[in-house]
Amino acid sequence: MSDQTHTHVEHDIAPGDEEQHSVGERILGYVVGLGLALLLTATSFFIAGTDLVWQPSIPVALIVLAIAQMGVHLVFFLHITTGPDNTNNVLALAFGLLVVFLVVGGTVWIMAHLNQNMPPMDQIMPMRR
Amino acid sequence: MAMTATAGHAHADPHHIGVVIEHPGPAPKRIVTAYGFWVFLLSDIVMFSCFFAAYAVLVDQTAGGPKGAEIFEQRNVAIETVCLLLSSFTCGMASIAADVRNRFWFYLGMTVTCVLGLIFLAIEFKEFADLIARGYGPSRSAFLTAFFSLVGCHGLHVSAGVLWLLTMMAQVFAKGFRADVLRRMMCFALFWHALDIIWVGVFSVVYLLGSGV
């Protein structure tokens, strides 16, 4: 007839829902997530108080560990995956993250440069007369 | 023959790419509800990012008052973190129990989640009360204002979550595992896990970065 192929589109998966798994597999997923999250948390608290590593690297390490732990929570607790049935959830998350980075990054960037972009105080005062 | 087939599917395949999609109709209500709640949670995270941004700007404006390193107690924060993490796990267990309609494990999981959430709130309330008693209330400096509003806003969310949790237990007790109750349970689980994600940001940025630097 023709080269047209009929594909049946399955429904998406609700955020938080998983694909069909047995109860044992689902519990195992939460156990793995809990173990990874506990490991990352323990590392964060250890790094914050230790003298063993180069001190200026600690803030960067803490932020990286926090982002990693958020990823663990998203994958193992909220079940956000890269599967085609999860596209809507991932796109909403991506837009949310974009706004978060614009708000936090933009605020910190602007406020950190505010002082040097202002004329000194003794030049402002004559202007106000 | 090929012509008529193409014409017949023209509305489904306007660019003639050869793939005809059979639309399965509107999505089930469980997906629509959870997706809407997911968008709400993301907007809630955006709101928290404003508090984080305000905190990052004001963290050094102590106005002669205490710095973060002088008032934070890492042991309490570690206990709070473990409580919230374990409660996220037990909340997951409760939602699995709700899906397989097992009342005993559902009530057990929700009760443990509730107790862990209350321990978290008690430690946070005690920390706030101690700070205010020492004269380090939110009006002491811009840093303390930002600290109290960020951590307090998260604490308010946890309080609302505990109330919602008790409501879910009451609804399952009164109505059983009906479809609408299960949808609410799914939204509650999303809410509780999202609170844990925000707490990861709070303890890393506020407590650990604040006490180290």
Side-chain angles (χ1 to χ4, degrees), chain B residues 151-186:
Chain B
V151 182
C153 188
H154 179 267
L156 277 182
H157 276 74
V158 176
S159 313
V162 169
L163 287 180
W164 190 358
L165 185 158
L166 295 172
T167 313
M168 289 320 300
M169 287 177 80
Q171 288 200 340
V172 169
F173 180 76
K175 303 175 181 177
F177 293 114
R178 280 186 349 205
D180 54 348
V181 176
L182 285 177
R183 282 200 299 272
R184 289 168 203 157
M185 179 59 207
M186 180 173 56

Side-chain angles (χ1 to χ4, degrees), chain A residues 13-19 26 77-81 86 89, chain B residues 30-31 34 99 186 190:
Chain A
I13 286 186
D17 265 357
E18 295 176 273
E19 291 165 46
R26 293 185 63 185
F77 293 163
L78 287 157
H79 310 299
I80 301 295
T81 67
N86 239 303
N89 306 338
Chain B
R30 185 176 169 87
I31 292 175
D99 285 345
M186 180 173 56
L190 282 174

Side-chain angles (χ1 to χ4, degrees), chain B residues 11 21 36 70 72-73 81 88 111 116-117 121 123 156 159 175 190 194 199 204:
Chain B
H11 61 285
I21 297 169
E70 298 162 33
F72 297 152
E73 289 180 35
T81 305
S88 227
T111 309
L116 289 167
L121 284 174
I123 295 175
L156 277 182
S159 313
K175 303 175 181 177
L190 282 174
W199 178 254
S204 298

Side-chain angles (χ1 to χ4, degrees), chain A residues 1 4-5 7 9 11-12 14-15 17 23 26 30 37-38 41 59 66 70 73 77-78 88-89 92-93 104 107 111, chain B residues 18-22 24-27 30-31 34-35 38 42 49 57 81 85 92-93 99-100 186 190 196-197 204 209:
Chain A
M1 200 175 95
Q4 289 184 332
T5 49
T7 51
V9 174
H11 276 298
D12 291 349
D17 265 357
V23 172
R26 293 185 63 185
Y30 279 97
L38 278 175
T41 305
M70 288 175 187
H73 283 246
F77 293 163
L78 287 157
N88 285 338
N89 306 338
L93 175 68
V104 176
T107 305
M111 295 307 285
Chain B
V19 180
V20 177
I21 297 169
E22 283 177 26
R30 185 176 169 87
I31 292 175
Y35 187 70
W38 178 232
L42 290 167
S49 78
V57 167
T81 305
L85 193 52
M93 294 301 105
D99 285 345
V100 298
M186 180 173 56
L190 282 174
D196 205 9
I197 290 184
S204 298
L209 279 180

